[in-house]
Amino acid sequence: MHGEKQNVRKTASITRFKAFYGVEPRTIKDAYEGFVDLCDDDDTSLKDFMMLTEWLKKYDTESCMTSRWKLDEKHIGLKLKKVGMKLQQASKQIIVLNLNDFEDKEIIILSVDCVNYRTTEFRLDPGTEWYDHKHNGPGLKYEYAVSVHHPYCVWIRGPFPAGKYN
């Protein structure tokens, strides 16, 4: 009986964690370690990386994040921008179609799909092209290509207005 309760608590904790960060704790840990290694970055803390991950998942304003992270809005905004730009640069090093990853005569099969992301309204460019029918509001769309026979994401294209391109 005691083991079942622990398992339920662990499952509930992981579910709550995923609600904030989108993935399980071990995935965040692995992603952070890979990020630090790839960027040769010692000044981005796990806390800052998790703050960015939460913001990417929930898209809260800095004002909403102040109480959870015990930081002021200006500090949160600066950290999100700094760590986000580092992550963007790191993704350009990771996500490439490298033919050396495949056998010489292998036929490379890719699966391509678009993913919609909810955003806030674009004040300087309002319009129907941003409307995302999946989220019933403004959004952006990215195109991803992954190798079918290998665990590689080989390209990302975007952003595109959610109401265009498919």
Side-chain angles (χ1 to χ4, degrees):
M1 182 72 172
H2 183 63
E4 286 180 30
K5 279 186 178 182
Q6 279 186 321
N7 200 21
V8 169
R9 278 192 217 129
K10 181 179 179 184
T11 302
S13 292
I14 289 173
T15 300
R16 289 183 193 116
F17 189 92
K18 287 172 65 175
F20 275 86
Y21 302 104
V23 294
E24 292 186 5
R26 66 175 175 242
T27 305
I28 290 281
K29 177 188 160 288
D30 291 345
Y32 173 70
E33 289 172 355
F35 170 80
V36 168
D37 288 346
L38 187 66
C39 296
D40 196 26
D41 182 9
D42 292 331
D43 61 312
T44 299
S45 68
L46 177 59
K47 179 180 178 179
D48 294 342
F49 187 80
M50 290 180 71
M51 187 184 341
L52 176 69
T53 308
E54 178 195 338
W55 180 77
L56 289 169
K57 166 75 167 115
K58 299 181 71 182
Y59 206 63
D60 279 341
T61 62
E62 288 94 341
S63 300
C64 292
M65 296 175 72
T66 56
S67 63
R68 283 193 301 273
W69 293 99
K70 309 277 191 265
L71 299 168
D72 64 76
E73 294 154 350
K74 183 179 179 184
H75 183 79
I76 288 174
L78 291 172
K79 282 292 183 182
L80 291 175
K81 187 173 184 176
K82 180 181 172 190
V83 179
M85 290 177 77
K86 287 181 182 181
L87 186 61
Q88 183 181 30
Q89 291 304 313
S91 71
K92 291 177 182 176
Q93 295 175 36
I94 297 171
I95 303 168
V96 293
L97 178 56
N98 184 353
L99 297 178
N100 294 329
D101 292 336
F102 300 91
E103 300 289 325
D104 286 339
K105 303 229 180 215
E106 180 177 1
I107 297 173
I108 302 170
I109 301 173
L110 304 176
S111 174
V112 180
D113 195 12
C114 285
V115 178
N116 292 26
Y117 294 94
R118 178 177 38 198
T119 64
T120 56
E121 189 68 47
F122 297 100
R123 291 185 194 145
L124 298 176
D125 187 21
T128 57
E129 71 267 16
W130 303 107
Y131 180 75
D132 177 9
H133 69 281
K134 292 181 180 179
H135 295 110
N136 198 23
L140 294 170
K141 186 176 289 193
Y142 284 83
E143 179 183 74
Y144 294 90
V146 295
S147 171
V148 172
H149 299 294
H150 301 278
Y152 307 134
C153 179
V154 297
W155 89 61
I156 297 177
R157 273 187 10 170
F160 303 111
K164 293 186 174 182
Y165 311 105
N166 218 0

